[in-house]
Amino acid sequence: QVQLVESGGGLVQPGGSLKLSCAASGSIFRINTMAWYRQAPGKERDLVATITSDSMTQYAGSVAGRFTISRDNAKNTVYLQMNSLKPEDTAVYYCRVYYTSTSVWGQGTQVTVSS
């Protein structure tokens, strides 16, 4: 069983920055792709960014150029550096980790962008 623990959310002013972390622990044989999703109130959960096991990255158009996904394989941790934050980035952010033939979700961390 794999567990994910997220951290780093909070309240930030427009134009500010936050860095989210998601650490995996448990019976991990091999982690493949790691990803961040977000869900705003009343909306569906959307993909924000992905990073493969060889560090190939992809981003949603709404965050490209502002957000950076990265990973530390030695720590089984994925990060999301968020810069130039906008009010529309307000959401609960979830990490998702793919390993063997399945995936697991984090518990979510709230990010609020407001003045």
Side-chain angles (χ1 to χ4, degrees), residues 28-107:
I28 301 171
F29 176 65
R30 181 174 181 272
I31 292 178
N32 296 319
T33 296
M34 307 177 88
W36 287 97
Y37 288 72
R38 67 185 181 186
Q39 187 167 20
K43 296 188 176 181
E44 294 185 351
R45 190 173 298 185
D46 294 326
L47 179 63
V48 174
T50 62
I51 184 166
T52 65
S53 57
D54 54 358
S55 296
M56 297 292 290
T57 60
Q58 286 190 315
Y59 297 92
S62 58
V63 307
R66 300 188 298 122
F67 291 10
T68 302
I69 189 170
S70 61
R71 62 192 286 168
D72 184 333
N73 291 328
K75 297 181 179 179
N76 291 325
T77 299
V78 61
Y79 305 96
L80 187 68
Q81 176 68 48
M82 304 184 294
N83 299 328
S84 303
L85 282 161
K86 305 175 181 179
E88 51 263 43
D89 295 318
T90 295
V92 177
Y93 283 70
Y94 299 88
C95 62
R96 186 178 187 183
V97 171
Y98 296 81
Y99 64 104
T100 58
S101 60
T102 187
S103 67
V104 61
W105 290 91
Q107 81 282 4

